[in-house]
């Protein structure tokens, strides 16, 4: 059974990775040293993988091309989907790879600078013997990502008139 204290620390860090051990300790009524030890254990166990920032690249003035590629594969004899996925996720432009149920086997998420880079990646992917087909979807606009709303509605600028 999972330790509720560890889960609470993980939840706090997932919501805000900038929280210090001292802040977490204060929030959970623990010692700073206890929180530091738990966080170190979580890192050592590979539970905490990375700390990062969610960046709204469009607002920062940098355009990125995001694509989702549906991939149908035929696993090679003696190898399963895990081996196929591993071959794909080793490419640096690949952000995520998921094993899917339904019409295709793998879903691959890319983030690159140009549409041409997506095309080159799809060509590399299609050259693998195990790839039967691909379908590429380009992300036209992001509304919400990692739980953060990116598309803020325009503020109503009309004057309020009351009788």
């Amino acid at each position: 059974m999972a330790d509720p204290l560890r889960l609470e620390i993980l939840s706090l860090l997932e919501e805000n990775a900038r929280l210090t051990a001292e802040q977490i300790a204060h929030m959970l009524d623990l010692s700073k040293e206890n929180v530091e030890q738990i966080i170190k254990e979580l890192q050592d166990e590979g539970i905490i993988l990375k700390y990062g920032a969610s960046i709204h690249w469009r607002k920062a003035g940098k355009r990125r091309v995001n694509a989702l590629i549906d991939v149908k594969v035929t696993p090679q004899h003696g190898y399963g989907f895990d081996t196929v996925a591993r071959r794909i996720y080793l490419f640096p432009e690949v952000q995520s790879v998921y094993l899917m149920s339904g019409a295709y086997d793998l879903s691959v998420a890319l983030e690159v600078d140009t549409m041409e880079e997506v095309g080159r990646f799809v060509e590399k992917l299609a050259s693998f013997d195990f790839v039967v087909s691909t379908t590429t979807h380009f992300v036209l606009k992001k509304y919400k990502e990692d739980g953060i709303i990116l598309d803020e509605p325009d503020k109503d600028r009309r004057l309020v008139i009351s009788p």
Side-chain angles (χ1 to χ4, degrees), residues 86-139:
R86 193 172 297 115
R87 298 251 334 250
I88 294 171
Y89 70 58
L90 289 175
F91 288 100
E93 59 269 43
V94 173
Q95 298 297 304
S96 304
V97 177
Y98 303 102
L99 179 62
M100 305 298 290
S101 64
Y104 55 94
D105 302 305
L106 298 172
S107 181
V108 179
L110 295 184
E111 184 173 74
V112 293
D113 290 325
T114 66
M115 291 180 70
E116 290 80 12
E117 288 178 74
V118 174
R120 285 192 295 274
F121 176 78
V122 171
E123 286 175 359
K124 287 189 276 190
L125 193 58
S127 71
F128 287 128
D129 291 340
F130 53 79
V131 173
V132 175
S133 67
T134 64
T135 303
T136 303
H137 309 274
F138 287 96
V139 176

Side-chain angles (χ1 to χ4, degrees), residues 38-78:
I38 292 170
I39 290 173
K40 182 180 181 332
E41 289 170 5
L42 292 166
Q43 292 168 339
D44 292 345
E45 293 170 24
I47 295 171
I48 295 177
L49 301 173
K50 176 182 168 183
Y51 296 92
S54 293
I55 299 170
H56 196 310
W57 286 111
R58 186 171 44 92
K59 277 188 177 180
K62 181 170 178 145
R63 296 282 181 186
R64 301 287 288 165
V65 176
N66 294 92
L68 303 171
I69 304 170
D70 302 337
V71 185
K72 267 191 181 179
V73 300
T74 302
Q76 302 297 298
H77 181 67

